[in-house]
Each structure stands twice: as structure tokens, then as C-alpha cells.
Amino acid sequence: MIVHNVGVVVALVGVLLPVSCVAHSTMTKNLKVLVSSKDFPPAGLKVLQEHFTVVQTKYLNFGEEGRTLAKDDLLKLIPGSSALIWSSNLAISKELLDKAGPQLKLVATVSAGYNHCNLDELRARGIKLSNTPNVLSSAVAEIAIGLMLGAARRFTENLAQVHRGEWEIGFDKVLGQDIRGSTVGIVGLGGIGQAVVRRLAGFEVAKFLYTGHREKPEGKELGAEFVNLDTLLTQSDFIVLAVPLTNETKHMINKDTLGKMKSNAIVINVGRGDLVDQEALYDALKNKQIYAAGLDVTTPEPLPRDHKLLTLPNLFVLPHIGSATVRTRSDMGVLAANNVVNALTGKALITPVNL
Ligand code: DGY
């Protein structure tokens, strides 16, 4: 077709395009999307509100009380939802899915990990699952490095001194371990594991090791050597856990594997609490069988204030803040929201979880 009047074409496009967009979001406006926490990032909420009827709990999904209130509220709000935007501290259970009803198409978890989702139930019902990997790798890797420094440089003991007003600056009391010249072993060279290695580039690490299901091309690029778990455990000064929680990885750090570590080993966990058998970790730290540990994740979360792990001077704990930066949480929210848009408008998910 030869276009003789460009002005008419532009005007037509100008009229037709918004009409079709409006028609599209009008069509999806009757779809209900449930958001599981009151603090879902505004940028993600905006994406959802442009397309759907958004229903959001007024509760924060934290602490035992918050979780109970939120769960009860969500059970009331969930019927008729076409998609769920879900935070990882509340399980996607059979009970919730039963309540939601057969029109539910997608669970969009606002996390990289999806161990809180009942995959068998989702699969059986043909409900899709998306997560938010990659956008959080840098933030989580930075917390891993914070934990390495915190555990190696005895932040727990040293902060306690500051609070007591007694600074024991002698040689024995506060000296820690160097990252310089150390061997760093990464369990799981995925997005987060790779980001840890990249961020340690200036720390003069002597050797990077990694383990996992298979050797990865990124390992070569990063100068990390692929080894089996036993070799990593016996040779590493820092052992960084950056794997998802599965039946295979549950309690991978236990009495036996702790027994293979060097006496100066420092265990870092940014994955999930259950990667570590905490009883065995407690014993190993208490008996100074290993040097220290740094945990961003524990079982349970929050760790009760009187939990025996918190009595250990050589443990540095953070309250699961790996992805907790303004920018990263916003990116996670927008990614989760766009997964919902795609799922409910017949497009492929951006970050699907293979069920
Ligand atoms: C994740 O995304 O899995 C982080 O641990 C936050 O839950």
C-alpha cells in the first residue's frame, strides 16, 4: 500500500492505539489480583493497578502475629483471584489454593526462592509460578560480603564491647581473619554466587572454588575452580551458601560436613535457614571446631530472642535482609507485577519457575 496522506495515518494510529490499549486494560480490569503484604513496592502496585482490580491485605506479613493476621485476612480476600503476588514468608498451601478457586492462573512470588510454595499442588492444578531472580543478585551478594566481614572481623563481639563501653584492643581479644589470601568456596555458582565472586575482585582472594551440579562457563570467566563438595569443604576458609532450599540441599551443612571444614572456616548463609542443621552449627561454633558463621537466614525467622544461637560470640546474624534495598525491592515488585500482566494477557512469563 502506498501511503498518500501521512497525517491521516498518524491520526488514525493516534486514535486506534489508545483505544486498543484501553480496550485491553478494560478487558483485564475485571480480573482480581491479590497482593499478600501491605508493603508491596508502589512501582509494582502501579503496574498492577493499570491493568487489574488490585486487592491488598492491610497487614504486614511479619512476625508470628503479623503472619496470623495476614493469613486470616488473605484467606478472606483470596476467593476469585486470578493471580497472587506473594511474599516468601507465608506458605502457598493447599488450603490457600482451595480457597482461591479454579480461576487462579499464577502465583508470582516476590523472591528468588520458592521453597514456600507447594509445587506439587501448583502443578496438579495447572497454576503457573514466577519468581524474581537476577534483580536481587547484587543486593544479596553485598550482604554475603557484609556477613563475611562481620563474621571474620568478629562484629558480634566487637559491637558488644562498644555497647558495654569496654574496648579490649589487645592482640588476643579482637583480632579476626583476613579475606586477603583466603580460599573462598561458593556453594552454588548461580546469579548470587557469581555476584559474590565479582564483588570480591578487590579483596585479593587467593583462590575461588565452587561446587554445584555441573561446571559452568561463568566459572572459567570468573577464575573459579569447579570442585566436589568435599574438596570445597576441606579447602575453603570461607564457605558461602548460595543455593536454593530443596530436598537435596536441606541440612547440607551438618555434623558430618562441618567436621570436614578447617578450624578457621567461616560459614556464610544467604540461601535459606534449612540449608544448615542449626544444632550441629551451634555445637561446631560453641566448641570452636570452626571459626565463625554469618547468617542472613535462619530457621525459624525471626529467630526467638532467647535462641541459643544468639548466645554465641562467633555468630553474626542479620534478619533476612539480603534483597532489602529500596531499588532492589522495587525492581522485584515491578518484575513480579509484569509477570502477572503477561500471565493474564496470554504472554510468556518473564521469569517462570519450571514446575
Ligand atoms: C529471596 O528472594 O529468595 C530472598 O531470600 C528474599 O526472600
Side-chain angles (χ1 to χ4, degrees), residues 88 110-115 132 136 140 192 270-272 296-297 320 322-323 329 332:
S88 62
V110 194
S111 60
Y114 46 85
N115 51 292
T132 59
L136 48 64
V140 178
I192 294 168
V270 289
R272 285 291 179 267
D296 184 42
V297 284
H320 200 154
S323 65
R329 284 283 164 87
M332 290 164 75

